[in-house]
Amino acid sequence: MTDIPALRLQDIVKTFPGVRALDGVSFQVMPGEVHALLGENGAGKSTLMKVLGGIHQPDEGKIFIAEQPAIMKSPLDAKSKGVVFIHQELSLADELSAAENIYLGELPRKSFGRVDWKTLYEKSDAILARLKCSFDSRKLVGDLSIANKQMVEIARALTVDAKAVIFDEPTASLTDAEKVVLFDVINDLRSDGVGVVYISHRMDEIFTISDKISVLRDGSYRGSLVTADTDEDEVTKLMIGRSLDSENPIVPAKKGPIALEVQGLSCGDLFQNVSFKVHEGEVVGFYGLVGAGRTEIAETLFGLRAPSAGKILLEGKEVKIASPIEAIGHGISLVPEDRKGQGLVLGMNCKDNMTLPQISDLTAGPFVSDGAEVAIFDQYRDRLQIKTPGWRQKVGNLSGGNQQKIVIGKWLSMAPKVLIVDEPTRGIDVGSKAEIHNLIRDLASQGYAVIVISSEMPEVLRVSDRVVAMFHGEIIREFTSDEVNEDNLVQAISGIRTTKVA
Ligand SMILES: Nc1ncnc2c1ncn2[C@@H]1O[C@H](COP(=O)(O)OP(=O)(O)OP(=O)(O)O)[C@@H](O)[C@H]1O
Ligand SMILES: [Mg+2]
């Protein structure tokens, strides 16, 4: 192994209007090293990597690739210098095929510059096969699931002889099986001597895959640790400047009357014969593997899918919910899993995004009360610790995690009767995660009925009064918070029915 870094960033400064995103950051990755980059939402991780990847030009500082000074004029330029970037916000063209996306800007050509389609599809299919993807590379990206889009984004990185590969929160929408494939790919890159940067808020992943950890805080470099010699607590301290307060034990909610009841609900082959109740003042956690049908149930309750059988009752009365507008009218809110696609208008400012659904409530006559909206925004900015220079900032300019907090704030601020949150802390840093858990508990204690869908077991165990375990579109078991533990929950979501069937 050589002692020349695969990449080195020196004293990088990057400012945006009102924000000093990077304040003289130095960072290096050795060949064959998987280097995790950690920090709170808005710490500057993506910005640092966008400087390296040619998306932003630094105000100050230098970049070296194998100790050769490099200026990254554009993402394609960076790629030609051996730096590839797998983005947090997917950057694919929906109207093109997977193959065209994989080789975008460098399609294989025959004489006279004509695209060599046969070679394109063959090469793309081979890369997708390496990623164990079963879809055809001719398929339009717009028709792929988020997870498959993510795989296309990864496939794109494998087309070049990379010196450094950057993964910016690559697992957010992957199933566990896809994660295993991704980690195989990363291990291959490591053995090929590629320098890998891995950004994630999931500590379990960081400790599984990385060799070294570097931490950013408020745009500054805070230090590096060797993964094998450290632990979560030390990393957290470096990230947020303190240990994580051990979360308060949950106070069991005072259960009120039944707010929502679902009887024998089915939706094609997505889920079947699902029945459950959620009381006012109660948090019910839905746990299961990706694809178990949890999101589809939420979407049905929110009027995004039509059930093929069964009933939905609110406060004991049967309701038909044909659209999200009707759902909102009945007091049901959904914080969606795919917040980028369904939750935000990136070109609009923070305040308007947060208060969008309730404009009618705040409108006095024809005029929307700006002051009332700003007050709502300020309240949730403080509670969710949203990092932004002010409410006028475009949501598209916030860091990934802070964008998510805007969506969560938007639905919380509507004070729904039934609140459904799908993967509430995906992409959220450890400190804010605890805050969101507390918020969910607070909502319950104020009498809201809350459904939390999550694939993180500690989260489900942490926030739920009751846990519903799903497997292949069915409810396998229901647990009270006294009964539930890691073992019986793992068994249930693997389809093992035990004595007590819901
Ligand atoms: N294009 C932009 N215009 C204005 N401000 C920006 C822009 N891009 C990033 N910022 C700001 O720079 C800071 C760092 O953002 P960055 O996206 O690098 O954070 P991050 O560490 O990746 O966070 P997350 O974990 O939430 O993804 C944030 O305050 C963000 O709002
Ligand atoms: Mg980021």
Side-chain angles (χ1 to χ4, degrees):
M1 191 139 138
T2 95
D3 49 8
I4 296 179
L7 68 92
R8 187 159 69 83
L9 294 158
Q10 191 185 313
D11 301 325
I12 303 289
V13 174
K14 178 70 192 172
T15 50
F16 298 107
V19 183
R20 198 168 173 86
L22 296 172
D23 194 10
V25 174
S26 298
F27 174 72
Q28 67 171 46
V29 180
M30 302 304 289
E33 176 179 85
V34 178
H35 201 128
L37 188 56
L38 261 80
E40 289 177 287
N41 296 131
K45 304 176 297 293
S46 295
T47 305
L48 186 66
M49 291 303 114
K50 284 178 183 169
V51 165
L52 174 62
I55 295 160
H56 291 320
Q57 294 307 311
D59 304 340
E60 290 171 38
K62 295 199 179 86
I63 301 172
F64 300 88
I65 301 300
E67 288 303 281
Q68 298 301 308
I71 291 173
M72 306 301 191
K73 294 193 209 87
S74 66
L76 219 52
D77 185 36
K79 200 169 174 181
S80 75
K81 291 176 173 130
V83 175
V84 274
F85 195 157
I86 291 132
H87 288 267
Q88 181 175 19
E89 308 87 21
L90 297 176
S91 60
L92 302 171
D94 277 353
E95 64 286 0
L96 298 180
S97 66
E100 287 167 288
N101 270 284
I102 292 171
Y103 282 96
L104 200 67
E106 43 197 4
L107 297 174
R109 298 200 183 260
K110 294 200 271 208
S111 47
F112 305 114
R114 272 176 306 158
V115 174
D116 182 352
W117 294 104
K118 186 162 171 283
T119 308
L120 172 68
Y121 293 131
E122 275 171 13
K123 287 169 83 174
S124 304
D125 283 335
I127 292 181
L128 289 174
R130 181 173 164 198
L131 293 172
K132 301 195 175 66
C133 290
S134 51
F135 60 88
D136 190 324
S137 67
R138 288 173 180 78
K139 215 167 165 178
L140 289 188
V141 159
D143 295 336
L144 296 176
S145 68
I146 323 178
N148 282 334
K149 285 184 188 171
Q150 185 77 64
M151 290 317 238
V152 171
E153 183 94 29
I154 293 167
R156 193 194 248 179
L158 301 179
T159 60
V160 284
D161 214 3
K163 293 199 178 60
V165 181
I166 304 155
F167 293 90
D168 195 351
E169 297 193 43
T171 58
S173 45
L174 300 187
T175 63
D176 289 341
E178 288 159 341
K179 253 186 229 179
V180 171
V181 175
L182 174 70
F183 283 4
D184 282 348
V185 169
I186 293 178
N187 283 324
D188 286 351
L189 291 170
R190 171 170 25 213
S191 3
D192 291 347
V194 176
V196 176
V197 181
Y198 191 85
I199 301 178
S200 171
H201 291 289
R202 300 277 311 250
M203 288 284 188
D204 53 339
E205 295 176 1
I206 301 283
F207 278 88
T208 306
I209 197 72
S210 76
D211 303 305
K212 217 171 159 186
I213 297 171
S214 287
V215 174
L216 292 184
R217 201 167 139 214
D218 287 333
S220 301
Y221 169 77
R222 288 302 160 123
S224 300
L225 298 161
V226 174
T227 311
D229 301 338
T230 185
D231 57 22
E232 285 192 25
D233 192 47
E234 192 179 16
V235 174
T236 305
K237 262 189 208 148
L238 208 53
M239 262 176 76
I240 64 178
R242 58 179 165 88
S243 287
L244 207 55
D245 307 332
S246 53
E247 295 178 291
N248 309 325
I250 75 162
V251 185
K254 277 196 235 70
K255 243 178 25 183
I258 296 170
L260 168 74
E261 179 167 2
V262 169
Q263 293 176 354
L265 201 66
S266 300
C267 184
D269 51 10
L270 296 171
F271 59 86
Q272 294 82 39
N273 197 21
V274 162
S275 302
F276 62 90
K277 297 177 186 135
V278 188
H279 291 254
E280 286 176 16
E282 190 183 37
V283 180
V284 176
F286 273 67
Y287 188 67
L289 299 174
V290 174
R294 298 164 304 160
T295 294
E296 290 74 12
I297 293 176
E299 289 172 350
T300 307
L301 294 173
F302 196 56
L304 289 163
R305 292 178 188 275
S308 47
K311 285 185 190 169
I312 301 170
L313 296 92
L314 286 168
E315 292 169 343
K317 279 198 280 303
E318 185 176 353
V319 290
K320 297 269 184 251
I321 303 170
S323 68
I325 298 201
E326 288 184 31
I328 292 169
H330 286 300
I332 300 179
S333 288
L334 170 66
V335 180
E337 174 183 32
D338 170 17
R339 291 183 266 268
K340 289 269 160 49
Q342 299 170 16
L344 290 172
V345 187
L346 294 179
M348 253 166 51
N349 73 36
C350 293
K351 179 207 69 175
D352 289 345
N353 265 287
M354 196 181 278
T355 54
L356 197 59
Q358 50 187 348
I359 281 176
S360 56
D361 293 347
L362 299 171
T363 308
F367 301 106
V368 176
S369 147
D370 230 21
E373 286 186 12
V374 171
I376 291 178
F377 173 76
D378 284 347
Q379 182 192 343
Y380 285 94
R381 180 191 56 194
D382 294 348
R383 288 206 72 174
L384 298 169
Q385 301 162 14
I386 298 172
K387 197 170 165 188
T388 162
W391 61 263
R392 290 184 179 84
Q393 179 72 296
K394 277 197 192 125
V395 159
N397 288 343
L398 297 190
S399 78
N402 283 296
Q403 292 185 4
Q404 306 216 17
K405 293 182 189 178
I406 296 274
V407 187
I408 294 171
K410 164 170 125 178
W411 293 108
L412 293 183
S413 69
M414 290 174 65
K417 281 188 218 134
V418 178
L419 176 70
I420 308 169
V421 283
D422 198 351
E423 302 290 355
T425 62
R426 182 182 279 170
I428 302 274
D429 68 59
V430 284
S432 309
K433 217 172 191 170
E435 189 56 33
I436 287 178
H437 292 162
N438 289 338
L439 246 162
I440 290 173
R441 292 304 314 172
D442 280 1
L443 288 169
S445 63
Q446 287 164 37
Y448 299 118
V450 187
I451 294 177
V452 174
I453 300 172
S454 174
S455 10
E456 281 192 49
M457 188 181 301
E459 175 159 282
V460 171
L461 295 175
R462 162 88 200 132
V463 298
S464 312
D465 296 296
R466 268 185 309 129
V467 178
V468 169
M470 288 199 66
F471 175 70
H472 280 307
E474 280 181 68
I475 293 181
I476 286 283
R477 238 196 108 167
E478 205 183 291
F479 302 91
T480 64
S481 57
D482 299 333
E483 295 165 340
V484 73
N485 59 45
E486 292 188 13
D487 291 339
N488 56 21
L489 203 47
V490 166
Q491 285 197 350
I493 62 148
S494 324
I496 300 170
R497 284 176 197 272
T498 27
T499 43
K500 193 175 164 187
V501 176

